[in-house]
Amino acid sequence: MSADHAGDLYGEMFLAGLDGPATKPSRIEIWKTLWPGLAICGIASIAAAWLSEHYGAPIILMGLLIGLSLNFVTSEARTHPGLDFASKACLRWGIVVLGTQVTLAQIVALGPVPFLALLMVMAAAMAAALLVARATGASTAIGILAGGATAICGASAALALFGVLGAKRVSQAQFALTLVVISMASALAMSFYPPLAGLMHLDDRQAGFLIGASIHDVAQAIGGGYAYSDIAGSYATIVKLSRVALLAPIVAVVSLMFTDEDAGQRHWIRKLAMPWFITLFLAVVVVNSLVTIPPFVVHLNLTLSKSLLLLAVTATAMRSRLDLVMQMGWRAAMPVVAATLASLVVALGFSMMIL
């Protein structure tokens, strides 16, 4: 089998059993190969959505927990292609569709001073995660994963960053634990940050900045803002979506920093290229800024993006070894905890001083 075939998701499944020249599998054959893993992942995701809707639990956290509880299904080799497809393809297209929720006008509407303050909050989150990762003996890649996910948009950003960093730099168990801690931190933040803003006597705009700049997940940041007031919810939405818009440049920088060592002969222009799904995400943001999309289409795209990302998270959890996740220990969770606390403190400081 050639090196090209070894890296091909579909080619390796069919070429291994062939004695003659390689033949391209038909779409029906590909679908039959993917079906077992996709079906299990889909059923688990539907269960997560049902639990989230009926009990108010974060949907991503439900997907993670159900996926981890079902990781024994990977002992059946037939599920591997479908789970690999869901964890990669669904992730990438979910990120692309997420671009329909952001416009450049929203970032401009934030204003230069709040935007600079938001950048400082994000920088503080990433710096705290990197420092704590170094202090606990973790790698720089783990610090960037934790800090970037906390600074941008939680699980969605974690999935995008993991797609760039790869399993060679961040183990599947570390990634699964990072997703769990980020989801739990975001859920707790949604519950405690609005009352904290009230306790600090913040006005609607200040509370909106605090909540939008420091809660990880998009839906929970928006929900937390509207839990405080309608004005705070509107402002939190603008702040949070401005963070989402920065997903593309941050992932591009990380991609450049962690260019494969094995790819030293590649042309420098290729090293500067962003991952294709981040390029499409940015393109969708630009198109969404130039063309007015009907509100029902925007809502439909949000549902589609959340569904694709839920499938990706659930599949990723299923592919993670729960015993290794359990062995990680409290130190492995500390970069996310540090980034969460840093973003809260800095966002609270800016909201009180300059807004």
Side-chain angles (χ1 to χ4, degrees):
M1 187 185 299
S2 70
D4 292 336
H5 286 145
D8 184 79
L9 175 61
Y10 309 120
E12 65 180 2
M13 295 185 295
F14 292 96
L15 294 180
L18 295 178
D19 296 327
T23 58
K24 185 178 181 179
S26 66
R27 291 184 179 180
I28 294 178
E29 290 174 319
I30 293 174
W31 174 248
K32 287 182 178 179
T33 304
L34 297 177
W35 170 248
L38 286 177
I40 293 174
C41 184
I43 293 170
S45 297
I46 291 172
W50 188 89
L51 288 171
S52 175
E53 181 179 354
H54 286 77
Y55 294 98
I59 190 170
I60 294 296
L61 181 58
M62 290 296 96
L64 278 167
L65 296 179
I66 291 176
L68 287 171
S69 68
L70 294 176
N71 72 332
F72 61 86
V73 302
T74 56
S75 61
E76 177 58 59
R78 291 183 302 165
T79 64
H80 294 181
L83 293 178
D84 287 342
F85 179 85
S87 64
K88 296 176 183 177
C90 291
L91 153 69
R92 292 164 179 171
W93 286 109
I95 295 294
V96 171
V97 178
L98 186 63
T100 60
Q101 308 304 306
V102 186
T103 66
L104 298 177
Q106 291 169 332
I107 301 175
V108 173
L110 188 61
V113 175
F115 183 71
L116 289 175
L118 179 61
L119 292 180
M120 294 297 292
V121 173
M122 297 174 69
M126 297 195 72
L130 285 168
L131 288 173
V132 172
R134 181 65 61 86
T136 56
S139 66
T140 300
I142 291 174
I144 288 177
L145 174 68
T150 303
I152 308 171
C153 52
S156 304
L159 287 161
L161 288 167
F162 183 67
V164 171
L165 295 170
K168 291 182 179 179
R169 299 184 180 93
V170 180
S171 69
Q172 196 77 36
Q174 175 68 56
F175 178 55
L177 181 64
T178 299
L179 285 176
V180 170
V181 177
I182 284 175
S183 298
M184 292 180 66
S186 187
L188 290 172
M190 181 183 176
S191 301
F192 289 104
Y193 287 10
L196 175 63
L199 187 64
M200 301 297 293
H201 303 291
L202 301 183
D203 62 27
D204 291 332
R205 194 162 180 262
Q206 290 173 320
F209 180 85
L210 169 65
I211 294 169
S214 56
I215 295 182
H216 315 331
D217 181 76
V218 175
Q220 289 168 347
I222 295 173
Y226 279 103
Y228 192 85
S229 71
D230 288 346
I231 296 175
S234 177
Y235 197 74
T237 300
I238 295 173
V239 174
K240 182 60 189 178
L241 292 180
S242 297
R243 289 167 65 189
V244 176
L246 294 171
L247 174 66
I250 290 178
V251 172
V253 171
V254 172
S255 177
L256 183 60
M257 289 173 56
F258 289 90
T259 300
D260 260 347
E261 296 174 359
D262 297 335
Q265 301 301 319
R266 291 190 302 176
H267 194 274
W268 65 273
I269 294 180
R270 292 189 63 187
K271 292 184 179 182
L272 292 175
M274 290 188 293
W276 66 265
F277 62 97
I278 295 299
T279 303
L280 276 182
F281 168 83
L282 196 55
V284 170
V285 171
V286 173
V287 171
N288 191 37
S289 304
L290 299 175
V291 178
T292 301
I293 300 178
F296 80 92
V297 176
V298 174
H299 179 73
L300 183 64
N301 286 336
L302 177 60
T303 302
L304 176 59
S305 176
K306 290 172 65 176
S307 300
L308 290 170
L309 292 173
L310 175 60
L311 285 168
V313 165
T314 305
T316 298
M318 286 183 179
R319 294 170 66 242
S320 303
R321 286 181 54 186
L322 189 56
D323 59 327
L324 295 179
V325 175
M326 300 278 294
Q327 292 173 13
M328 296 299 295
W330 63 270
R331 292 177 183 273
M334 291 312 295
V336 175
V337 175
T340 300
L341 293 176
S343 63
L344 170 62
V345 171
V346 177
L348 181 60
F350 277 120
S351 65
M352 297 179 67
M353 288 189 300
I354 67 174
L355 296 180

